[in-house]
Amino acid sequence: MNIKMFNGWYFLMLFVCIGLVVDLYFILKNRSKKTKFIVLFSLLIFGLVLHFLKIFIPPYSTDINRLYRDIWFINICGANIFLFPFIFLSKNKGWKDYMFYIGVLSGLISILYPMEPMEKVNQASEWLDIIRFYYHHTMLWAVPLLMVVFKLHTLNYRRVLFVPTYLLVVMGFIILNQVLQAELGFIPLRNDNFFDINYKNSSMIWGPSGGIGEFLGMFCPSFFKYVPVGANAGELKYWPWFWLIFPCYIILTPICFLISLTTDHKHFKGDIIKINELLQTKILKNYTVTDDRLKIYSKKIIDKKINHVLKTHKYYVS
């Protein structure tokens, strides 16, 4: 096994993942809602259990430091593996929207660009971990997608702002994991280099890195890019977590909105019609009010002129 971008192994794994999801769709298509719910939830639970079972396979079983680092939920996909079973059981529509949008986006990106398997020096000896990787990241997009396709959850374009909000909450959860790791001794404490963000910078929480990071940094306000106080005041250093606020809302909101229109376009169209009708009604009402005011104003002018004429006539006669 030697997975590289667009080689035979790459397309084989991609074909297997997509093929299994399509098969699952047809297997569950005519099943009861309860059966669909149980099967999808079971896939999420197995994914969570598999996250901990990786302690028995290389490279985690042979590298204790790697095990201590990666057994926690230190990136978006890892955090979602832990959170998705609870979100799936919940009745919170905003969180389920997050599960759909972030699950589909992060899961598909991961299998279309399988960076983790490609970075392995000896893929053949770690083939079990590669299978685990593909299961986890296929699960992350397949379960939320089928959840919506089977109408176990209905998307609403009005809730798209919840997605970046909840993503930032999950980022906070990842930070908590990394801080606890360090404070409990699972990973070393921060090194002496105040500006070094490369260590344990999962999901770029501590600052942007690489080409994608530079792109995201374009949407970050300057006051989140510099040390505010202390000996290093004024030096370039992105504020952990805070620097992601603006990029999350600016980039993720329109993407989620466009995706939502694939299933919620009728709702959106209906709202546009209602807004148009409301505006027309308001405009007509304003015209009516204006006409009434003109009539009252004209009547006052006429009455005033009549009174003036009567007074003048009376004075003349006398």
Side-chain angles (χ1 to χ4, degrees):
M1 179 180 288
N2 185 23
I3 300 172
K4 295 184 181 298
M5 285 299 293
F6 308 126
N7 72 352
W9 281 104
Y10 170 88
F11 285 110
L12 176 62
M13 298 304 293
L14 196 60
F15 175 79
V16 170
C17 291
I18 295 175
L20 288 174
V21 174
V22 172
D23 288 342
L24 182 62
Y25 165 75
F26 284 108
I27 291 171
L28 295 177
K29 182 179 179 182
N30 297 318
R31 302 287 181 174
S32 67
K33 203 169 189 177
K34 183 179 180 180
T35 300
K36 294 171 182 173
F37 184 91
I38 292 173
V39 170
L40 295 182
F41 180 67
S42 298
L43 293 175
L44 294 174
I45 289 297
F46 178 71
L48 180 57
V49 172
L50 184 61
H51 176 80
F52 294 104
L53 288 178
K54 67 184 182 182
I55 64 175
F56 299 109
I57 61 174
Y60 314 101
S61 60
T62 57
D63 186 346
I64 193 66
N65 292 324
R66 175 80 179 269
L67 171 63
Y68 285 160
R69 186 192 70 184
D70 291 352
I71 200 64
W72 292 65
F73 308 102
I74 57 171
N75 54 47
I76 294 175
C77 291
N80 287 337
I81 289 169
F82 173 75
L83 295 172
F84 274 13
F86 302 101
I87 296 174
F88 190 77
L89 288 178
S90 77
K91 295 182 179 180
N92 189 301
K93 295 180 179 180
W95 272 110
K96 285 191 173 180
D97 280 359
Y98 163 86
M99 178 178 175
F100 173 80
Y101 293 115
I102 301 301
V104 170
L105 288 172
S106 63
L108 282 176
I109 290 172
S110 296
I111 67 167
L112 290 173
Y113 183 63
M115 183 173 64
E116 184 178 325
M118 290 191 300
E119 287 182 346
K120 291 181 180 296
V121 177
N122 189 354
Q123 294 184 19
S125 64
E126 298 181 10
W127 66 273
L128 284 175
D129 189 51
I130 293 175
I131 300 299
R132 176 208 59 79
F133 168 87
Y134 275 99
Y135 175 83
H136 272 148
H137 294 86
T138 301
M139 175 200 76
L140 288 177
W141 66 265
V143 172
L145 181 62
L146 293 176
M147 175 182 71
V148 171
V149 170
F150 291 144
K151 300 189 184 304
L152 298 177
H153 173 64
T154 302
L155 299 175
N156 188 328
Y157 80 93
R158 296 179 182 177
R159 295 194 297 262
V160 293
L161 283 176
F162 283 113
V163 181
T165 302
Y166 289 149
L167 177 59
L168 290 169
V169 172
V170 173
M171 292 290 195
F173 171 73
I174 296 171
I175 285 180
L176 177 62
N177 269 265
Q178 294 189 342
V179 170
L180 286 175
Q181 277 184 300
E183 294 299 321
L184 295 176
F186 285 89
I187 59 176
L189 291 170
R190 182 181 180 83
N191 59 38
D192 295 333
N193 187 349
F194 180 71
F195 297 98
D196 182 14
I197 64 166
N198 293 318
Y199 181 68
K200 63 175 184 177
N201 190 31
S202 301
S203 304
M204 292 186 285
I205 290 176
W206 307 103
S209 61
I212 296 177
E214 292 179 4
F215 172 73
L216 296 176
M218 295 169 56
F219 301 95
C220 176
S222 59
F223 58 83
F224 283 152
K225 295 181 179 181
Y226 297 94
V227 181
V229 295
N232 297 298
E235 295 286 338
L236 178 65
K237 177 181 169 63
Y238 285 74
W239 294 20
W241 186 84
F242 286 94
W243 83 272
L244 284 166
I245 294 176
F246 282 85
C248 279
Y249 281 99
I250 293 172
I251 298 173
L252 199 55
T253 303
I255 292 175
C256 294
F257 172 74
L258 291 174
I259 294 174
S260 72
L261 294 183
T262 60
T263 61
D264 201 31
H265 57 278
K266 292 182 179 180
H267 188 191
F268 176 70
K269 184 178 179 181
D271 282 350
I272 294 296
I273 293 173
K274 288 179 182 178
I275 292 171
N276 185 44
E277 291 174 349
L278 182 64
L279 289 173
Q280 289 181 355
T281 302
K282 189 172 182 179
I283 291 171
L284 290 173
K285 185 177 179 181
N286 287 337
Y287 275 129
T288 302
V289 171
T290 303
D291 289 344
D292 290 341
R293 287 175 180 172
L294 285 172
K295 290 176 183 177
I296 295 170
Y297 180 69
S298 299
K299 187 175 183 302
K300 285 182 179 180
I301 293 175
I302 294 171
D303 290 344
K304 187 176 181 180
K305 287 185 176 181
I306 291 172
N307 289 334
H308 177 71
V309 170
L310 289 174
K311 288 180 181 180
T312 304
H313 179 71
K314 182 179 178 181
Y315 177 79
Y316 178 77
V317 172
S318 62

